[in-house]
Amino acid sequence: MKASMKSFVLILAAASTAALAADPKPVVGTATIAVENKVGSRQVVSELWFKTAADAEVENFSARPPLRPFAIARNAAPLAGAGKQPLIVVSHGNWGSRFSQGWLATELVAAGYLVLSTTHPGTAGD
């Protein structure tokens, strides 16, 4: 019984180590999208978050203090061959910005989603 328990623990440890090595956290890229709202005569600015190539230039970005910086590749190209991915739209809430939930957007991209965070004119903190 003890031998099979040791074998189980060793197999579990090897499998989890291999899984971690095979699936590193992806590099998250962003692209700014500006759309003119002709009815309200204002611009709506959004940020699209996606996986990008591992060699993309990453920076620690913070929209403004005291927001904690997070690692993103701004204006990077999306990862080639990523295929279809579900889209999640993230709202910043009152007095936020399209980067306020950046920590959440990067985690969602790592989990396999595309993320769109939009500025809400009239309630943004910018």
Side-chain angles (χ1 to χ4, degrees):
M1 181 73 166
K2 286 185 181 184
S4 56
M5 182 57 96
K6 277 185 181 180
S7 297
F8 175 73
V9 169
L10 287 173
I11 291 170
L12 185 61
S16 61
T17 302
L20 288 174
D23 193 18
K25 195 161 188 167
V27 176
V28 176
T30 65
T32 302
I33 302 168
V35 178
E36 190 69 31
N37 178 351
K38 296 184 189 236
V39 174
S41 298
R42 62 183 174 197
Q43 193 176 54
V44 178
V45 182
S46 301
E47 206 69 21
L48 184 63
W49 307 69
F50 48 83
K51 289 181 184 176
T52 189
D55 62 351
E57 188 176 330
V58 176
E59 63 179 279
N60 283 324
F61 177 80
S62 176
R64 65 174 169 257
L67 297 177
R68 190 177 328 171
F70 43 86
I72 56 174
R74 296 198 67 201
N75 303 310
L79 182 62
K84 289 185 177 183
Q85 298 168 308
L87 174 69
I88 294 180
V89 178
V90 175
S91 174
H92 61 66
N94 206 20
W95 302 112
S97 79
R98 65 189 190 274
F99 295 106
S100 296
Q101 304 295 324
W103 61 272
L104 176 60
T106 57
E107 291 299 319
L108 289 169
V109 169
Y113 297 93
L114 291 174
V115 177
L116 183 72
S117 55
T118 296
T119 300
H120 303 279
T123 64
D126 296 341

